[in-house]
Amino acid sequence: MLGGIEAGGTKFVLAVGPSPDRIAARHTIPTRDPATTLAEAADWFAGRGAVKALGIGSFGPVELDRQSQRWGFITNTPKPGWADCNIVGYFDQALGVPVGFDTDVNAAALAEYAGAGGTGGGLAYLTIGTGIGGGLVLDGKPVHGIAHPEMGHIYPRRHPQDTDFAGVCPHHGDCLEGLASGPAIMARWGASLSELPADHPGHVMIADYIAQACHMLFASVAVGKIVIGGGVANTPGLIETVARRCRSLDAGYLPGGARHAVIRPRLGGDAGIRGAMMLAQVAARA
Ligand code: ZN
């Protein structure tokens, strides 16, 4: 059996199963302080019988450099109590099995890539919710540089009707997350995107910002597919508007343009946990 943890800022999803596409049991716990949450998770796994490896897809920032002493840590997160949390070390000790580790969005990208048949020129997974994050898989592997990508913190061009909003990112103000995340939408209009009327200009504005991020990915790393998940992405019609806007931003130039796809997660809400189990599979083989 493989174990997986999708470690999110509001909940931890736990699962065991013989393979990533066959989940035998799953359990969700709220994210409280690390001591409580990690112990609760370890107890659940202990009650499921032996797993041969565990995979963790975690909220970040995290340390992914294998050469670092702090590999497997959640690092400078603003989430109270979780900064400098050695999440891999904890489960290494508690379960005594190999632990695979990556960001929650790289895990989700891995699962969506496999779910799409593992071909087609790479895949990016964007989540648009409380924050904006992105994972990237090229040639079947999650991409890290000296750290993991932070695609939510690029600076998009301002929408012409969005001139006086400062943005909500505590670090950058009007980066993509500062302009198009759930909290940015709430700060501008006092409602979520799905609560706004269908003809509200916010729909086009938010779609434009997300489309700029997609265009950046199509143009810079030439992925074929961009999967968009997260709470804001559930707004009816949003993904379709983003896809249209992407075509318009590209204006027929990019060589892969005919094969670009902007889609919802095929695995729905399961992409993260299945990706975590894929990380376990890799760790079991290593
Ligand atoms: Zn930012």
Side-chain angles (χ1 to χ4, degrees):
M1 291 288 244
L2 300 167
I5 300 179
E6 182 184 6
T10 56
K11 63 178 181 182
F12 270 44
V13 180
L14 319 172
V16 294
S19 67
D21 54 358
R22 289 169 60 208
I23 292 176
R26 75 164 70 202
H27 185 54
T28 300
I29 58 175
T31 308
R32 291 187 278 252
D33 61 286
T36 310
T37 312
L38 301 184
E40 213 176 324
D43 283 350
W44 186 81
F45 284 110
R48 305 275 88 67
V51 295
K52 65 177 178 185
L54 178 73
I56 303 173
S58 177
F59 72 92
V62 296
E63 181 56 76
L64 297 179
D65 178 1
R66 283 279 186 172
Q67 307 308 315
S68 167
Q69 300 270 331
R70 284 158 54 83
W71 176 77
F73 277 56
I74 295 171
T75 57
N76 57 329
T77 176
K79 190 167 175 57
W82 286 87
D84 304 314
C85 171
N86 184 3
I87 186 167
V88 168
Y90 183 91
F91 288 102
D92 181 29
Q93 285 255 299
L95 304 181
V97 297
V99 181
F101 186 57
D102 213 315
T103 60
D104 47 2
V105 278
N106 263 344
L110 264 180
E112 287 287 335
Y113 182 83
T119 54
L123 180 146
Y125 183 98
L126 287 177
T127 179
I128 319 282
T130 311
I132 296 184
L136 179 62
V137 171
L138 294 175
D139 294 330
K141 294 210 170 64
V143 172
H144 311 146
I146 49 163
H148 52 80
E150 282 285 354
M151 298 173 194
H153 297 274
I154 60 169
Y155 290 97
R157 181 167 64 184
R158 280 283 181 144
H159 189 275
Q161 287 171 32
D162 193 27
T163 51
D164 56 359
F165 180 63
V168 300
C169 176
H171 307 287
H172 313 117
D174 61 352
C175 66
L176 180 66
E177 179 171 299
L179 291 173
S181 62
I185 293 165
M186 190 59 74
R188 272 202 210 76
W189 300 302
S192 70
L193 203 56
S194 52
E195 288 164 347
L196 295 174
D199 59 353
H200 189 283
H203 292 282
V204 172
M205 192 186 291
I206 297 303
D208 176 66
Y209 288 131
I210 300 169
Q212 290 190 57
C214 294
H215 180 72
M216 181 274 295
L217 287 162
F218 285 137
S220 58
V221 287
V223 288
K225 288 191 177 67
I226 299 175
V227 178
I228 305 184
V232 174
N234 290 332
T235 307
L238 183 72
I239 302 301
E240 291 75 8
T241 311
V242 170
R244 272 199 307 279
R245 183 67 186 139
C246 271
R247 283 192 291 278
S248 143
L249 288 172
D250 174 27
Y253 175 71
L254 292 177
R259 290 180 290 156
H260 288 166
V262 177
I263 53 178
R264 291 190 169 71
R266 294 159 64 105
L267 302 172
D270 272 3
I273 189 63
R274 291 217 214 170
M277 291 176 73
M278 289 177 73
L279 296 172
Q281 206 168 34
V282 172
R285 285 194 208 112

